[in-house]
Amino acid sequence: MLLEMEHVTKRFGDVVANRDINLSVEAGEVHALLGENGAGKTTLMNILNGMYTADEGTIRLNGEKVVIHSARDAIARGIGMVHQHFMLVPALTVIENVVLGLKENKHFLDLRAAADRLSDLGDKFGLSVDPWAKVADLSIGQQQRVEILKALYRNASLLILDEPTAVLTPQEVDSLFAMIRALTQEGLTIIFISHKLMEILRICDRCTVLRRGEVVQTMAIADITDKQQLANMMVGRQVDLRVEKPAATPGDTVLSLDDVCYTDRGGVQRVKNVSFDVCRGEILGICGIDGSGQSQLIECITGLAHATQGRITLNGVSSGRMQTRDILGHGVSHIPEDRHRMGMVGRLSVNENLLLMTSARREFLFRGFYRRQVISAYNQKLCEAYQVKTQGVDEPMGHLSGGNQQKVIVAREMDRQPKLLIAMHPNRGLDIGSTKYIQGKIVEARNDGAAVLLVSGDLDEIMELSDRIAVMYNGQIMAIMPQQAATFEKLGLLMAGVNPEEVDRQTVGHGGSNYE
C-alpha cells in the first residue's frame, strides 16, 4: 500500500472537518475522492499536501510513518498536487515556472539542462510542451501539462489532481486521460478529485466517498453499476439526475448585443464583433475554454467595463454606458465567475452577504432601521431552501466551504426574481446534488419568463440547460446553434478554434451546415 491515512481528525474550532478518516491508496492506481461540498475532501488533501496538520491520526507512505509540515515536506516525500486554479506565473517561460523555488537551483541555474530533462519527461509521459514558451501564450490544456510536469520534475510519485477537467475541452479531457494512463503504467499513483461522475467511472480504479467529514465507503469502480449509484452514495439519498425542462417559448428580446467589441487597457482586443439576442423564456448558453473573452463580454453587459464599439440594449434601452448599479436595478441578476473577488465579502456574515442586494426591501425596514429578526428569519429560510450548510446566518461567509459560499450567492441572485439572469459558471465546484438543484432553479427562472444568459465550461451543463448555444473562441462567437443541433464533438472543436465549416466536414460530412 503506497499511502495510508489512519484515524485522521481535523478540527477548526467547534467544527470537525475530518473525523476519524481512514484512506488507503494502492501504488499505480487512480483513486477517486468524492463527496458533497463541505464533506472534508479539500481539508484531507491539504493535510496530505502539508497545508494543514492533523489534530489526530497518522500518515504512512510505503509503510513508513511520516509527518508533513509543509508543501516542501510533501514534495520531498514524493507528493505533488495540481490545483484546479493553476499555480503558474504567466510572464515566465515553462522551464522558469518548473524550476522556480527549487533549492538546488538557488545559486546556479542551468536552464538548458533543466529544459532537456523536462523535454525527456514530456516525451516519456506524452506531456510534450515547449520549455521556452511563455506560459501566458499556452492554452489551458497546455498549462495543465506544465503543472503536471512541474510535479514530475520534482520526482512526485503520488499526484493529487483537484478538479482537473473543470476548464478543458472534450478533446483535452481525452488527452489528459491518456496522460493519466501513461503515468500509472509507469508506476505513479493518482488521487482524482472531481464532481463529474462519468469521468470517475471512466478513469478511476477505486473510490472513497466522504460525507460530513467521515468515510462512507471505499469500493472498486468495477463494482459500481452507474453514476446514479455513485451520486446516491455521495449525497446519502436518491438524487434525481435529470432536470425537467419543457420546450422553450421565447418572448420579447430582453438583451441585445450588436457588433460589440472591447479592448483592454493594454491594447488587447478581448471581445471581437459579438452580436446576439436573449429573449424572455429562453436560455442562451455560451461555452468556451477559460480566457476566450467570456469574462470581458459579461463585464461589458453588467457595466463593469464599457464596450469600445457596438451597442448593448436592455429591454430596448441602451445600457452600454450605464453604471452597474443602474443595470442591476433594471431587473438583472448576476452570478459572477469569481465568488471571492466579485460575489461576496468573506469577513461579513452570511446574513450580511445575502442582504447586499436586498438592503432596500420594504419588509426589511421600519422607519429607516433594519428589522434584524425579520431579515435573519428570511435569510435562514433562504439558506435552507438552497441547502447551504452553515452553523447559522451569523457565521462569517469566509468560514463556509467554497461550494456553500457559491450556494449563498446563487440564492441571493435567484431570490431577486430577475428579468435577466446572467450566470457565469454557477455550479463550478458544486457537488452533484447541489448542481442539479441549482440547474433546476435556473430552468424555473426561464419558465417564469426570465431571459437567461448562461456561461459555462461544463458541456454537460450547457447541453442540458441551453435552448440555444453560442461558442466563443479568442473573443469571437464561432457559431450559434439550437441545442438540438449541438454535439459534444462539435462544441469541443469550435471551442478549440476550428472553423465552423471545417467542423461540419469533420462531424457531419458535406451535407450542409447545422449552424445558424
Side-chain angles (χ1 to χ4, degrees):
M1 197 67 67
L2 174 71
L3 169 69
E4 296 168 280
M5 301 182 78
E6 302 171 337
H7 307 292
V8 171
T9 295
K10 179 63 180 177
R11 301 179 184 87
F12 295 96
D14 295 332
V15 178
V16 182
N18 294 144
R19 186 191 303 275
D20 195 33
I21 284 183
N22 293 292
L23 173 68
S24 298
V25 180
E26 297 176 1
E29 76 168 334
V30 182
H31 194 109
L33 191 61
L34 303 174
E36 293 183 276
N37 298 120
K41 306 183 299 297
T42 301
T43 299
L44 187 65
M45 289 301 98
N46 280 337
I47 291 171
L48 182 58
N49 195 43
M51 298 292 289
Y52 297 146
T53 301
D55 297 321
E56 301 171 19
T58 58
I59 300 173
R60 298 183 189 275
L61 287 170
N62 293 311
E64 177 190 353
K65 183 178 177 180
V66 298
V67 179
I68 302 172
H69 292 294
S70 65
R72 187 179 293 275
D73 284 349
I75 198 63
R77 298 284 185 179
I79 301 169
M81 186 165 180
V82 178
H83 297 268
Q84 179 179 343
H85 302 288
F86 305 146
M87 306 293 185
L88 299 172
V89 182
L92 299 183
T93 64
V94 168
I95 191 59
E96 287 168 340
N97 271 276
V98 168
V99 302
L100 191 64
L102 285 180
K103 188 175 183 180
E104 59 266 32
N105 291 315
K106 186 175 182 181
H107 300 296
F108 176 71
L109 202 60
D110 188 349
L111 276 184
R112 188 162 297 281
D116 290 343
R117 183 186 165 204
L118 188 73
S119 295
D120 290 342
L121 280 172
D123 293 340
K124 180 179 180 180
F125 294 112
L127 289 160
S128 297
V129 63
D130 180 3
W132 305 106
K134 187 176 289 188
V135 164
D137 297 330
L138 300 181
S139 70
I140 297 297
Q142 290 172 320
Q143 289 182 33
Q144 187 177 66
R145 288 186 179 196
V146 175
E147 284 281 32
I148 295 173
L149 280 169
K150 189 167 69 171
L152 296 177
Y153 190 92
R154 288 162 165 77
N155 300 312
S157 57
L158 171 61
L159 271 180
I160 305 165
L161 302 181
D162 186 10
E163 298 285 352
T165 65
V167 294
L168 302 184
T169 68
Q171 288 80 7
E172 287 173 327
V173 171
D174 291 340
S175 177
L176 172 66
F177 285 180
M179 294 175 209
I180 288 174
R181 292 187 184 98
L183 291 170
T184 54
Q185 285 169 7
E186 290 291 331
L188 273 81
T189 305
I190 309 290
I191 296 178
F192 190 92
I193 305 172
S194 177
H195 289 112
K196 297 182 179 181
L197 303 185
M198 288 304 296
E199 292 180 356
I200 288 164
L201 295 175
R202 178 180 164 192
I203 194 63
C204 297
D205 301 302
R206 292 194 302 147
C207 69
T208 293
V209 180
L210 301 185
R211 195 187 309 147
R212 300 185 187 92
E214 300 181 44
V215 172
V216 175
Q217 193 170 3
T218 297
M219 64 188 301
I221 293 297
D223 295 333
I224 297 173
T225 55
D226 55 25
K227 68 177 183 178
Q228 183 70 59
Q229 180 186 355
L230 206 52
N232 295 346
M233 286 169 55
M234 284 175 57
V235 180
R237 56 178 170 79
Q238 184 73 21
V239 179
D240 190 353
L241 296 179
R242 298 169 301 172
V243 176
E244 296 295 333
K245 186 170 74 104
T249 54
D252 298 335
T253 298
V254 175
L255 174 69
S256 180
L257 279 72
D258 182 19
D259 198 34
V260 170
C261 298
Y262 173 72
T263 301
D264 66 18
R265 292 180 180 177
V268 179
Q269 193 174 28
R270 300 294 186 180
V271 180
K272 303 172 184 177
N273 308 104
V274 169
S275 299
F276 60 75
D277 295 335
V278 190
C279 300
R280 284 174 48 86
E282 76 160 346
I283 298 174
L284 175 64
I286 298 180
C287 61
I289 59 173
D290 279 1
S292 295
Q294 308 97 310
S295 300
Q296 292 80 10
L297 178 65
I298 297 303
E299 287 176 0
C300 290
I301 294 171
T302 56
L304 295 169
H306 296 304
T308 49
Q309 177 183 312
R311 179 177 172 83
I312 302 173
T313 57
L314 182 61
N315 292 313
V317 177
S318 178
S319 61
R321 292 292 161 182
M322 284 185 184
Q323 298 301 311
T324 300
R325 178 184 294 274
D326 297 326
I327 291 172
L328 297 180
H330 276 71
V332 177
S333 283
H334 178 209
I335 300 169
E337 63 175 327
D338 186 337
R339 55 178 167 259
H340 294 121
R341 187 169 65 90
M342 301 171 64
M344 57 174 269
V345 183
R347 67 179 182 275
L348 297 185
S349 68
V350 172
N351 211 14
E352 290 165 325
N353 273 275
L354 286 170
L355 191 61
L356 288 175
M357 295 300 299
T358 56
S359 57
R361 287 179 72 153
R362 289 184 179 180
E363 61 267 38
F364 290 171
L365 298 169
F366 180 72
R367 294 181 179 175
F369 292 93
Y370 284 124
R371 303 171 67 189
R372 296 193 177 276
Q373 288 186 331
V374 172
I375 293 169
S376 295
Y378 185 92
N379 287 337
Q380 183 64 45
K381 290 181 179 178
L382 198 58
C383 286
E384 291 169 1
Y386 281 82
Q387 303 166 3
V388 179
K389 292 191 176 87
T390 174
Q391 296 183 39
V393 293
D394 291 327
E395 183 176 7
M397 188 78 161
H399 289 188
L400 272 58
S401 70
N404 283 298
Q405 291 170 352
Q406 183 74 356
K407 285 191 241 181
V408 171
I409 295 165
V410 170
R412 181 185 67 209
E413 298 303 316
M414 298 288 283
D415 187 55
R416 297 175 58 221
Q417 299 178 336
K419 296 176 183 176
L420 171 64
L421 172 63
I422 300 171
M424 285 201 76
H425 311 293
N427 295 300
R428 180 172 284 178
L430 295 188
D431 58 69
I432 188 65
S434 301
T435 292
K436 291 303 171 184
Y437 182 85
I438 288 172
Q439 287 177 346
K441 285 290 187 180
I442 290 172
V443 172
E444 187 179 306
R446 169 262 219 183
N447 295 343
D448 289 341
V452 180
L453 183 59
L454 170 68
V455 179
S456 178
D458 185 341
L459 291 190
D460 287 313
E461 181 166 72
I462 287 287
M463 289 286 282
E464 188 167 12
L465 298 189
S466 303
D467 300 304
R468 290 186 298 135
I469 300 174
V471 183
M472 280 195 82
Y473 171 76
N474 194 28
Q476 304 176 73
I477 297 291
M478 299 293 290
I480 299 177
M481 68 195 84
Q483 185 273 346
Q484 297 85 347
T487 66
F488 288 100
E489 185 181 7
K490 281 183 185 178
L491 297 179
L493 290 169
L494 289 164
M495 288 166 65
V498 178
N499 184 279
E501 287 75 19
E502 178 63 25
V503 170
D504 282 331
R505 283 194 291 272
Q506 292 187 37
T507 57
V508 297
H510 298 278
S513 174
N514 284 332
Y515 301 99
E516 293 184 328

